[in-house]
Amino acid sequence: MRVDIVSIFPEYFAPLDLSLIGKARASGTLRLAVHDLRTWTHDVHRTVDDTPYGGGPGMVMRPEPWGEALDALAPDELSPDGHTLPRLVVPSPAGVPFTQALAHELAAESHLLFACGRYEGIDQRVLDHAATRMRVTEVSLGDYVLFGGEVAVLVILEAVTRLLPGVLGNAGSLDEESHAHGLLEAPMYTKPATWRGHEVPEVLRSGDHGRIARWRRDEALLRTAARRPDMIAAVPPESLDKKDRAALDRGGFQPPAGDVAK
Ligand code: JD8
């Protein structure tokens, strides 16, 4: 996968040399380049912002540097048929929620181009114009306000990169993790069996894989019901069997109505 990132703080992305993303770059699985937006300014002050039309607080990012940056990193020549132009991903508080499903969608792309806004945001015409040439996705990490798009790109890139073939040693774990099956993960434990008076649940040391799987399923259901009622409500009722419903009931939670899975 090719990834280009444009920001006025390119040094924000130094951590992308580390760990598994660093290895994915070294192996060529991820071809990542970070670009300074000021490269596409032409005035002595390398100006990237100006006052907002209509008044109001703060500054807005100028369209001209962004236009030139996107022209350079997504040139029409790149794809006469327009198909292999990159997908432009723009973090914004006004974006669609970033989810594991969207991470899978982005991981299927051959070329991602991230535009990191700052100040009050990027002049809207930059995105409107880009949308006449390529697919544009405005995405939000969540309902809280950041200074800019950089940390959002770090989060999105980590979630996407770990889905790329060969990045995760045991890709098998992808299927077992949170958000992969609509439930939160069960608690995890490792040695010692007793720590500061706290015991590892006996079932996990029993070697009885049937009991262990049942315990983990029950814990995942109870944890999800307690912390994420929205996720329990989204679980297809037919996917909850008698034991699932008994576990929720024991925890004092009302299982979603519907036919009981066999
Ligand atoms: C991009 C500029 C700052 C936002 C005035 C503070 C994502 N979940 C999220 N929260 N905030 C962002 C985000 C914030 C950004 C930019 C993303 C570019 N800002 C602005 C509007 C209010 N300042 C985000 N993803």
Side-chain angles (χ1 to χ4, degrees), residues 11-231:
E11 57 278 12
Y12 241 95
F13 299 99
L16 297 178
D17 296 336
L18 307 172
S19 181
L20 285 171
I21 294 184
K23 285 192 178 64
R25 297 177 73 180
S27 70
T29 301
L30 187 62
R31 289 171 288 108
L32 174 86
V34 180
H35 312 272
D36 184 340
L37 178 67
R38 296 185 196 277
T39 306
W40 291 281
T41 62
H42 309 293
D43 63 304
V44 67
H45 300 298
R46 312 188 86 199
T47 307
V48 294
D49 63 319
D50 206 332
T51 54
Y53 270 116
M59 301 291 273
V60 175
M61 299 194 94
R62 299 173 51 229
E64 299 94 331
W66 277 111
E68 292 182 34
L70 300 186
D71 290 349
L73 297 169
D76 281 335
E77 299 72 62
L78 195 61
S79 147
D81 62 0
H83 285 314
T84 49
L85 276 174
R87 181 167 178 177
L88 179 63
V89 180
V90 186
S92 158
V96 298
F98 182 59
T99 63
Q100 191 66 9
L102 183 49
H104 279 281
E105 204 182 298
L106 297 178
E109 299 281 349
S110 59
H111 186 184
L112 295 176
L113 174 48
F114 290 98
C116 301
R118 277 276 157 169
Y119 308 99
E120 299 310 303
I122 301 172
D123 185 299
Q124 183 61 36
R125 294 168 292 179
V126 172
L127 282 69
D128 297 347
H129 177 73
T132 66
R133 299 193 312 118
M134 66 189 98
R135 291 151 305 131
V136 178
T137 303
E138 284 190 76
V139 57
S140 170
L141 288 192
D143 298 340
Y144 43 83
V145 182
L146 303 170
F147 281 128
E150 284 78 9
V151 288
V153 170
L154 287 170
V155 169
I156 295 166
L157 209 43
E158 178 157 319
V160 168
T161 301
R162 60 193 297 288
L163 299 174
L164 299 178
V167 170
L168 265 190
N170 57 349
S173 68
L174 281 177
D175 311 328
E176 279 143 42
E177 62 195 13
S178 277
H179 304 291
H181 49 53
L183 295 178
L184 301 181
E185 282 179 10
M188 309 298 278
Y189 301 84
T190 186
K191 290 186 281 302
T194 306
W195 177 75
R196 295 189 181 184
H198 298 275
E199 292 288 326
V200 170
E202 173 279 331
V203 61
L204 296 179
R205 294 178 284 131
S206 69
D208 180 335
H209 298 299
R211 279 186 60 216
I212 291 168
R214 184 70 253 169
W215 181 87
R216 284 180 170 157
R217 173 86 174 164
D218 292 353
E219 288 295 316
L221 286 162
L222 292 169
R223 201 179 235 195
T224 307
R227 300 175 184 185
R228 295 292 306 277
D230 59 304
M231 289 175 71

